[in-house]
Structure formats: C-alpha cells, structure tokens
C-alpha cells in the first residue's frame, strides 16, 4: 500500500523532487507589499500593514477586533492573561496537541489539565471534559474548584486539530455551567467553519498562528481574535508594551508584553490573506483525492465532522498498526516524501507527566497510529 501511496503523492504534486509536508505558496501580491515596506523603511512594529492585516482578518472572521502578535504562542499566552488566568490556576486542554499550547499555559503561571480528544474531531472531547468536571470538581462561590488540589479551574483551551473544528456547542455549554472561560486554540484552523461560523470566534478569545507551515504565513506571527471590542483594545494595548499614546513621552501603565508583529511580516500576511479562499478550495480538493485513494482500505482518513467545514490544513490517516505507521515513515523518508507522526502526547513528556489527567485512550491510540500526509497547496492553483 505505501508504495502505491507514494506514487499517488508524486502524481498529486507532479514532481520527482522532495515533497515537504506543508510548504507556503507565494503567488499574489506578497512580494509587492513587502517591497513597499522596505521602500517606506517602516519594517518594524509600526506601519500601515499591521493595521490593515488586523482589520482584514477581523473582517474575514467576523469578529470585533483582531490583534496581531509575533507568533501563535504569544497570541495564546496574551489571550490567557486577558482571560484572567493567574498563578496556580488550572487550565483544561488536550494532551493531543503541539507543545506550544501547554507552554503558553505554563508561562501564564498555570498548569494544564489533560482530558481526552474526540474521535469525531480529534479535538477536545466534551464528554471527557464533562466527566472531569463532574467527578473531580465542584462549583463554589469562588468558581470552579478542583476538589483534591483546591486549585481554581479557570479556563478551557480546545485545539481545532489539523483544522477540524471541535464540538463547540457542547463545550460552550459546559463552560457556561462551570463558569469557565473558553479560549480557542485555532492555530491550525483559519478558514474552518463550525456550523457556518469561523473557528476562533466562539470563545472570549481565539488564537491563530501564521508560522511558515500554516495555511497562510507571515513568516512568523500570530493573531488574537476578540469577541468584544473592549477586550480587543485592551489586548492591543497590553501586547504593545502598554505604552500610553504620546508624541514623545514614554509612559507605560501596565506590565505589558512586547509581542508586536513587525510591519514586514504583516505585509506578507496581507498578500497571503487575499489568497486564503483559493488555498482552502485546493486543500479540500486534495483531501477528497486522499479519501478516494484510501476508500475501501484498512486505513481510515480523517474527515471533517458533519457539522463543520474544515480547511484540511493537514490530511491525516489512521494506520491499522503502529508497525505499519513506522514502516511508512521510514520508507517515505528514503524516497524523499515527508510524512509526519502525530505529536507525542503532552502527558508523556517529562515536563508535563505530573499534570492532572483523565483517561486518554483516544489520545494514545492516535499517537500510535496516525500519520500526516503532504498537504501543501499545489503549484497549479
């Protein structure tokens, strides 16, 4: 099977050269916009493209305010701070995620709690969250308290894994019932829709990443989507060193973050965002072709949930055994095709082994059997 797959991938991308997992595509106005920033000399953290990128992204996602920052991790850390997460808090998230999700929680002074993911979305499972809250927590006048540790459970951070939206209605209801703040890690899901509405716009905050391997890139960058305009203005102030606007004085009224996105990066983002719909259309076509290829086999392609439209940032397939997965990865590397295993689950990393967790059967199965396939937008777009 794997040799037929490799031939299919080479035909899909029409090349005999190395095929990466996900490469950026620059076919629009990116070069012109970046050159404009060079000509203007406004290449750093002040410039028209930062304002434009924020406004364009807010309009695209239909939120009150979008705040550009230097990367997705900074976006999540700033959002957690603005959501009220403080030292010694607990934040519920998924172990099946990239380490940046948990690192942002850690550097907020809090600690992650791991619940399982859903086989439906590969993102945080509402039933697993409900079981944790009902079995290990109580709602008091101080909020949601973890009974054994007596620590405050402050927030829930689901990640829309590989671009597939989680079951947001159920998660929002649980957050409402237990007085928890919902912060969406939408780093991988720009352009994905939950029941017709953009991911990252359901929680108080949503965060995006524009790393070089994301569906659009600014080289390095991130964005915080804010449901409330006042939250957005406060977060913009906080992430730009909390400096009070003045023509020459330097007065800062809070312990701000220097998380500003450079104008140079924002210019690249403006050019990329103009092409996002085309990128999504091509990636959805690629996903359909993979699904046709694996139809009727013992391999299961991950498909968008029926309630969602996924951007299919990364296509994924579940192998019948861990041995088959390893064989695929090794054979692909020898033939110049990049496949990727799932992340090692966070609860299996030494730095997070001590964290509170529920049973994580789906997480561990995915880690043993899942493989990501090349998912770049094709050059024929």
């Amino acid at each position: 099977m794997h040799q037929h797959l490799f031939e299919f991938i080479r035909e899909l991308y029409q090349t005999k050269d190395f095929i990466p997992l996900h490469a950026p595509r620059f076919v629009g106005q990116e070069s012109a916009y970046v050159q404009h920033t060079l000509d203007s000399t406004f290449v750093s953290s002040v410039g028209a493209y930062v304002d434009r990128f924020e406004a364009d992204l807010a309009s695209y996602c239909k939120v009150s305010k979008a705040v550009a920052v230097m990367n997705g991790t900074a976006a999540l850390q700033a959002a957690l701070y603005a959501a009220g997460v403080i030292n010694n808090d607990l934040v519920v998230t998924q172990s099946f995620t990239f380490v940046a999700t948990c690192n942002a929680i850690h550097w907020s002074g809090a600690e992650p709690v791991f619940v399982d993911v859903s086989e439906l979305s590969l993102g945080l499972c509402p039933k697993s969250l409900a079981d944790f809250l009902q079995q290990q927590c109580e709602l008091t006048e101080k909020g949601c308290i973890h009974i054994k540790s007596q620590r405050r459970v402050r927030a829930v951070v689901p990640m829309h894994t590989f671009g597939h939206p989680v079951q947001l209605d159920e998660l929002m209801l649980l957050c409402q019932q237990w007085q928890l703040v919902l912060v969406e890690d939408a780093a991988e899901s720009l352009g994905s829709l939950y029941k017709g509405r953009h991911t990252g716009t359901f929680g108080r905050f949503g965060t995006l990443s524009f790393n070089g391997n994301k569906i659009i890139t600014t080289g390095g960058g991130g964005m915080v989507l804010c449901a409330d305009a006042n939250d957005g203005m406060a977060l913009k102030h906080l992430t730009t060193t909390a400096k009070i606007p003045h023509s020459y004085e330097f007065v800062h009224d809070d312990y701000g973050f220097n998380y500003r996105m450079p104008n140079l990066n924002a210019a690249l983002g403006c050019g990329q965002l103009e092409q996002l719909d085309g990128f999504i259309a091509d990636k959805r076509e690629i996903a359909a072709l993979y699904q046709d290829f694996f139809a009727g086999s013992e391999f299961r392609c991950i498909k968008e949930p029926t309630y969602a439209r996924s951007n299919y940032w990364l296509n994924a397939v579940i192998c019948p055994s861990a041995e088959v997965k390893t064989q695929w990865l090794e054979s692909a590397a020898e033939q110049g095709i990049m496949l990727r295993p799932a992340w090692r689950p966070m609860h299996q990393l030494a730095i997070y082994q001590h964290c509170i967790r529920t049973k994580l059967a789906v997480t561990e199965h995915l880690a043993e059997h899942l493989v990501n396939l090349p998912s770049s937008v094709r050059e024929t777009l």
Side-chain angles (χ1 to χ4, degrees):
M1 164 65 86
H2 67 268
Q3 192 56 46
H4 290 304
L5 173 63
F6 300 158
E7 292 170 0
F8 172 80
I9 291 172
R10 291 209 175 277
E11 182 178 349
L12 183 66
Y13 285 101
Q14 299 181 0
T15 182
K16 295 182 179 179
D17 297 331
F18 172 74
I19 299 176
L21 188 71
H22 196 287
R25 292 279 291 128
F26 305 117
V27 293
Q29 295 297 311
E30 296 96 334
S31 181
Y33 293 163
V34 169
Q35 184 60 50
H36 183 252
T37 66
L38 297 178
D39 294 340
S40 74
T41 74
F42 284 93
V43 298
S44 192
S45 55
V46 175
Y49 283 105
V50 176
D51 296 337
R52 174 178 166 181
F53 191 39
E54 290 178 336
D56 289 352
L57 220 301
S59 176
Y60 184 88
C61 294
K62 298 180 174 61
V63 292
S64 295
K65 176 70 175 175
V67 179
V69 293
M70 62 187 186
N71 56 51
T73 308
L76 188 53
Q77 188 171 346
L80 290 169
Y81 181 90
V85 173
I86 60 175
N87 191 52
N88 205 43
D89 278 349
L90 297 176
V91 175
V92 184
T93 191
Q94 56 201 71
S95 178
F96 190 69
T97 186
F98 181 54
V99 71
T101 306
C102 296
N103 287 347
I105 294 169
H106 170 81
W107 290 115
S108 298
E111 188 172 280
V113 172
F114 298 122
V115 300
D116 211 355
V117 293
S118 166
E119 289 184 295
L120 184 64
S121 68
L122 307 190
L124 198 147
C125 175
K127 184 180 184 307
S128 187
L129 174 61
D131 288 346
F132 165 72
L133 293 171
Q134 293 163 6
Q135 296 169 14
Q136 299 192 42
C137 301
E138 62 180 351
L139 193 58
T140 74
E141 60 182 12
K142 296 181 180 179
C144 181
I145 302 298
H146 181 248
I147 297 171
K148 185 175 181 180
S149 68
Q150 287 298 294
R151 298 168 72 176
R152 172 80 183 259
V153 184
R154 185 80 61 172
V156 175
V157 181
M159 203 240 326
H160 301 293
T161 310
F162 308 141
H164 302 300
V166 299
Q167 294 155 274
L168 281 160
D169 283 344
E170 295 87 340
L171 293 179
M172 288 190 295
L173 180 60
L174 286 167
C175 287
Q176 182 182 18
Q177 291 171 340
W178 289 85
Q179 298 178 18
L180 303 169
V181 181
L182 179 65
V183 177
E184 295 173 71
D185 184 345
E188 302 174 355
S189 65
L190 176 60
S192 295
L193 305 178
Y194 175 82
K195 297 184 178 180
R197 179 174 158 188
H198 286 276
T199 55
T201 68
F202 291 82
R204 183 174 173 184
F205 300 103
T207 63
L208 303 173
S209 170
F210 306 118
N211 188 36
N213 67 348
K214 294 302 189 291
I215 191 165
I216 67 169
T217 184
T218 59
M223 191 80 75
V224 184
L225 304 178
C226 306
D228 181 81
N230 291 328
D231 274 348
M233 292 176 64
L235 198 60
K236 180 67 173 180
H237 181 66
L238 185 72
T239 57
T240 54
T241 73
K243 181 181 181 295
I244 297 174
H246 194 279
S247 58
Y248 58 87
E249 291 283 2
F250 287 85
V251 179
H252 305 261
D253 62 358
D254 201 349
Y255 301 100
F257 300 108
N258 189 5
Y259 284 173
R260 298 171 291 183
M261 176 185 283
N263 197 42
L264 197 66
N265 298 77
L268 184 61
C270 288
Q272 286 272 282
L273 185 57
E274 292 172 349
Q275 302 169 77
L276 178 56
D277 288 340
F279 289 172
I280 292 171
D282 188 64
K283 290 171 75 62
R284 289 180 59 79
E285 184 176 324
I286 291 169
L289 292 170
Y290 275 130
Q291 290 164 21
D292 288 344
F293 177 85
F294 286 106
S297 75
E298 59 184 340
F299 298 84
R300 179 171 71 91
C301 264
I302 301 300
K303 300 179 182 180
E304 65 189 4
T306 56
Y307 55 73
R309 183 197 78 166
S310 175
N311 67 7
Y312 281 102
W313 172 60
L314 283 186
N315 286 281
V317 64
I318 307 297
C319 297
S321 70
E323 291 75 22
V324 169
K325 181 195 80 169
T326 301
Q327 183 184 30
W328 274 26
L329 293 169
E330 292 177 349
S331 298
E334 292 172 358
Q335 297 191 40
I337 297 175
M338 187 176 181
L339 305 185
R340 190 186 79 169
W343 314 279
R344 180 169 295 185
M346 297 299 101
H347 72 282
Q348 294 179 0
L349 299 180
I351 55 176
Y352 292 118
Q353 281 180 347
H354 66 284
C355 294
I356 299 164
R357 63 178 183 265
T358 63
K359 293 181 180 179
L360 301 172
V362 177
T363 294
E364 291 174 355
H365 180 80
L366 291 173
E368 291 175 358
H369 294 84
L370 184 142
V371 172
N372 287 122
L373 306 171
S375 301
S376 303
V377 173
R378 292 170 293 182
E379 292 185 4
T380 54
L381 179 68

